[in-house]
Amino acid sequence: MAIMDILTVPDPRLKRKAKPVTEIEAVQSFIDDLLQTMYHTDDGIGLAATQVGSEHAIVVIDISEERNQPLVLINPQITESSGEFIGEEGCLSIPGYRSKVKRFESVTVSYLDRQGQAQTIHSDDFLAIVLQHEIDHLHGKVFIEHLSRLKQEMALKKVRKFTA
């Protein structure tokens, strides 16, 4: 297993859209690396493959306090959404910056699990926010794109200071 570098804004690779995974067996070691990279961070609770420069449509999430309950989503898609929620978000690709973001309060996501079995997950709590955040990455979108232009510029300035 390997710890991979996490891309930070404004790296253009973060704008790439992920491609569906067709060979589940071929991405198993990559999933291990993605999990290890997420767990290596101090506060990472989710990581999309696009954040490490991969075009695989894979997301890993672990919101457990013990950080020992990984959720692996391959080719995830939001199939239902409702309500509205505004909460504070941060991102491993935008270190040192947090802001309030409007999201759906409730989502249903269809995906393949690590064994390639079709699954559906429904959430109307914190996991719903994390799912939307990570799936946005697979669409080439970072959370600051939900903010005003001024707040986006503030975020970029903060990242430049943080990564300098």
Side-chain angles (χ1 to χ4, degrees), residues 42-85:
D42 290 332
D43 56 358
I45 56 172
L47 188 63
T50 51
Q51 289 179 271
V52 296
S54 170
E55 292 184 349
H56 295 307
I58 301 172
V59 165
V60 296
I61 296 171
D62 190 341
I63 59 171
S64 68
E65 285 188 35
E66 301 81 20
R67 293 172 56 109
N68 63 355
Q69 297 175 28
L71 178 62
V72 176
L73 300 97
I74 301 170
N75 303 335
Q77 293 185 9
I78 296 173
T79 56
E80 294 179 32
S81 58
S82 64
E84 185 178 291
F85 176 83

Side-chain angles (χ1 to χ4, degrees), residues 61 63 69-73 76-81 106-112 118-125 127-128 131-132 135:
I61 296 171
I63 59 171
Q69 297 175 28
L71 178 62
V72 176
L73 300 97
Q77 293 185 9
I78 296 173
T79 56
E80 294 179 32
S81 58
S106 173
V107 295
T108 301
V109 175
S110 296
Y111 66 98
L112 299 177
Q119 303 288 336
T120 301
I121 189 169
H122 176 80
S123 180
D124 57 5
D125 56 19
L127 180 59
L131 286 164
Q132 291 171 80
I135 292 171

